[in-house]
């Protein structure tokens, strides 16, 4: 193993695994710390998917250190802490504390912060994170139900979350190439800076930064930073030739969509699918909390479409696939949180959709799209595969995956709420054989 990565949610882990795989690394994504017996001998990179993004900081730190110990025991040479390209983290959140704990455990004196992902419109300039042409704090992320982002300065965010001294490497330095960036690292060390926010506007910037961090024991950021990491190992002869990738073959069976994200992107994808004729069932958190709507009711609705043949795998490319969703506008989300409490409102939906996924699998669903990082974590936690094989990319950062370690294999597309084009729920099925 060359690279060991710790991701704070499932969809982010899948996004990172896709990036590394696309750049030629033999990559396995595990669901949590894998059980004994999972064969990692052929993996050059292992991405451990945690569900720690919204946990209390102490829990996130403990989970991350446990994952680090596993990756160290497996012999990884370099480590990465992966978080969202929109730096999803409340003011007292987890990114700073986890970074600080990992640095201490590894005995490293310097790391970077770079969540940029230009392909999805996430860029960093003068230390400020942009979503498209908006500052993060002006983007729809300001209304995120769990991690509302009201500050765009990554320098301020990291300084507020940790005891680490935070500095900045500007785009002007990155534009001068990898050597200039490594020199900036040495200057920062001399000033006692421990974490450097690094500007990035393009994929070319990310490749420059990737080359510059070859000597760092720990890297933190979004999946975009992984663009330049495999080449470092290839350059010194540590990576094997990629060879032919194993074919991706989705199991035959019914298709379904579960959406728990309330992001603007996912809401738009739902509207596009419904406008195209997709049958849709919207969940009411209050009805679920009061016991007026049960998992059995959702499964009964889904089964009615299954019996009609409307979402068999043979028709999935011709007819819009049914979806069950809890996604709602910001005012609806706030009303539910006011009535139920923020944590209960979120966990109620996650648990409901996770149980629904189990029922769908039992009814013959073998092809499933899940929208939302927290929702995907809950669903995969319930389905409990050992690992995921990375398949074809649907949109930047979102591949189809194949569950490993189970007799009832499934094709899963685990989509971060903010990712994907408006027609994502319609076109994804065209990539399956």
């Amino acid at each position: 193993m060359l690279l060991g990565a710790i991701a704070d949610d499932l969809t982010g882990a899948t996004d990172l695994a896709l990036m590394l795989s696309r750049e030629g690394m033999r990559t396995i994504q595990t669901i949590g710390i894998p059980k004994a017996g999972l064969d990692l001998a052929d993996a050059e990179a292992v991405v451990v998917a945690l569900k720690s993004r919204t946990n209390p900081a102490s829990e996130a730190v403990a989970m991350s250190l446990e994952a680090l110990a596993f990756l160290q025991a497996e012999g990884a040479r370099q480590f990465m802490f992966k978080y969202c390209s929109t730096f999803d983290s409340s003011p007292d959140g987890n990114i700073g504390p986890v970074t600080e704990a990992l640095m201490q455990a590894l005995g490293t004196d310097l790391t970077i912060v770079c969540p940029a992902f230009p392909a999805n419109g996430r860029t960093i300039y003068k230390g400020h994170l942009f979503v498209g042409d908006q500052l993060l704090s002006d983007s729809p992320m300001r209304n995120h139900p769990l991690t509302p982002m009201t500050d765009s300065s990554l320098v301020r965010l990291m300084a507020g979350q940790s005891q680490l001294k935070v500095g900045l490497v500007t785009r002007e330095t990155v534009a001068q190439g990898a050597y200039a960036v490594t020199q900036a690292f040495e200057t920062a060390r001399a000033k006692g800076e421990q974490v450097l926010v690094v500007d990035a506007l393009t994929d070319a910037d990310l490749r420059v930064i990737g080359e510059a961090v070859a000597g760092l024991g720990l890297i933190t950021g979004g999946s975009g930073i992984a663009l330049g990491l495999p080449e470092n190992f290839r350059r010194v002869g540590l990576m094997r030739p990629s060879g032919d990738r194993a074919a991706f073959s989705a199991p035959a069976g019914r298709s379904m969509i579960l959406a728990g994200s309330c992001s603007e992107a996912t809401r738009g994808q739902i509207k596009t699918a419904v406008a195209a004729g997709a049958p849709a069932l919207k969940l009411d958190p209050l009805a679920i909390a009061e016991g007026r709507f049960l998992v059995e009711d959702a499964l009964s609705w889904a089964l009615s479409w299954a019996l009609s043949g409307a979402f068999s795998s043979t028709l999935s490319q011709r007819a819009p696939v049914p979806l069950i969703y809890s996604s709602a506008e910001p005012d609806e989300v706030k009303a539910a949180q006011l009535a139920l409490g923020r944590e209960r409102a979120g966990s109620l939906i996650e648990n409901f959709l996770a149980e629904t996924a189990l029922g769908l699998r039992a009814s013959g669903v073998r092809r499933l799209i899940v929208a939302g990082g927290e929702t995907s974590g809950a669903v995969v936690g319930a389905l409990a595969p050992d690992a995921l094989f990375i398949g074809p990319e649907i949109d930047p950062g979102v591949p189809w995956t194949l569950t490993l370690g189970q007799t009832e294999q499934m094709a899963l597309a685990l989509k971060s709420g903010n990712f994907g084009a408006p027609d994502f729920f319609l076109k994804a099925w065209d990539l399956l054989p």
Side-chain angles (χ1 to χ4, degrees):
M1 190 191 304
L2 302 174
L3 181 68
I6 302 162
D8 68 357
D9 85 331
L10 186 71
T11 57
T14 305
D15 175 12
L16 175 60
L18 171 65
M19 186 72 72
L20 294 170
S21 178
R22 200 168 60 193
E23 291 297 313
M25 292 194 89
R26 302 182 187 194
T27 306
I28 290 178
Q29 177 185 341
T30 69
I31 311 304
I33 297 172
K35 304 171 187 173
L38 181 64
D39 185 7
L40 301 176
D42 197 46
E44 293 169 323
V46 171
V47 181
V48 177
L50 302 179
K51 193 174 184 295
S52 61
R53 178 170 297 172
T54 57
N55 290 47
S58 59
E59 292 182 10
V61 166
M63 295 166 71
S64 302
L65 289 177
E66 186 179 3
L68 175 65
F70 163 75
L71 293 168
Q72 287 177 305
E74 291 292 324
R77 296 170 182 242
Q78 189 176 44
F79 301 88
M80 179 175 174
F81 170 38
K82 195 275 175 194
Y83 39 80
C84 187
S85 61
T86 48
F87 204 84
D88 297 9
S89 187
S90 59
D92 57 348
N94 298 337
I95 294 176
V98 170
T99 299
E100 192 168 4
L102 293 175
M103 290 182 70
Q104 184 175 3
L106 288 168
T108 184
D109 64 342
L110 185 73
T111 191
I112 67 164
V113 166
C114 188
F117 195 166
N120 272 334
R122 279 60 161 164
T123 55
I124 306 168
Y125 186 67
K126 300 298 184 184
H128 287 75
L129 183 57
F130 286 79
V131 178
D133 59 358
Q134 294 179 308
L135 284 165
L136 176 66
S137 54
D138 294 332
S139 77
M141 281 301 299
R142 68 184 182 275
N143 294 317
H144 193 286
L146 297 178
T147 55
M149 299 307 300
T150 58
D151 192 352
S152 303
S153 170
L154 296 174
V155 175
R156 280 197 300 267
L157 287 166
M158 280 300 293
Q161 286 188 8
S162 73
Q163 302 300 312
L164 300 169
K165 187 174 181 180
V166 185
L168 173 66
V169 179
T170 66
R171 174 55 166 50
E172 288 78 8
T173 299
V174 174
Q176 295 174 41
Y179 179 75
V181 177
T182 57
Q183 290 300 107
F185 291 171
E186 293 309 312
T187 300
R189 279 191 172 102
K191 295 191 293 185
E193 292 173 346
Q194 300 158 290
V195 176
L196 297 177
V197 176
V198 186
D199 284 353
L201 299 179
T202 66
D203 283 355
D205 290 342
L206 292 175
R207 291 189 184 278
V208 166
I209 299 164
E211 182 179 350
V213 301
L216 297 184
L218 174 69
I219 304 144
T220 88
S223 58
I225 196 64
L227 268 175
L229 301 184
E231 186 60 31
N232 293 334
F233 299 112
R234 189 179 289 114
R235 189 179 300 113
V236 295
L238 291 174
M239 271 180 60
R240 295 163 290 179
S242 296
D244 295 330
R245 281 178 54 85
F248 184 90
S249 180
R254 296 167 180 149
S255 304
M256 195 72 191
I257 303 166
L258 299 177
S261 169
C262 294
S263 73
E264 185 175 54
T266 297
R267 298 198 311 270
Q269 289 154 0
I270 292 169
K271 290 176 183 176
T272 300
V274 170
L281 173 65
K282 184 175 181 179
L283 302 178
D284 178 355
L286 295 179
I288 294 171
E290 295 167 4
R292 293 183 283 110
F293 192 83
L294 306 175
V295 170
E296 289 76 9
D297 298 318
L299 292 174
S300 177
W301 179 87
L303 186 59
S304 69
W305 290 101
L307 293 175
S308 74
F311 67 143
S312 67
S313 59
T314 56
L315 295 178
S316 64
Q317 296 181 22
R318 297 182 234 160
V321 171
L323 68 98
I324 297 174
Y325 70 100
S326 64
S327 311
E329 299 294 325
D331 57 344
E332 295 178 77
V333 174
K334 289 178 182 177
Q337 291 178 338
L338 186 63
L340 301 172
R342 173 180 284 191
E343 290 188 8
R344 186 183 177 212
S347 63
L348 188 78
I349 291 297
E350 290 171 24
N351 294 337
F352 188 95
L353 290 174
E355 291 180 37
T356 301
L358 284 173
L360 291 172
R361 182 173 67 180
S363 68
V365 170
R366 294 293 179 267
R367 299 164 175 223
L368 181 66
I369 293 176
V370 187
E374 296 298 313
T375 305
S376 293
V379 167
V380 172
L383 297 174
D386 291 337
L388 297 174
F389 174 76
I390 306 300
E393 187 173 24
I394 305 166
D395 270 333
V398 192
W400 276 107
T401 71
L402 199 63
T403 60
L404 302 177
Q406 295 180 314
T407 54
E408 296 176 323
Q409 201 168 46
M410 295 182 72
L412 301 176
L414 307 169
K415 187 190 80 69
S416 171
N418 297 304
F419 282 14
D423 62 348
F424 183 91
F425 291 155
L426 301 176
K427 69 183 180 183
W429 314 101
D430 296 339
L431 296 176
L432 296 182

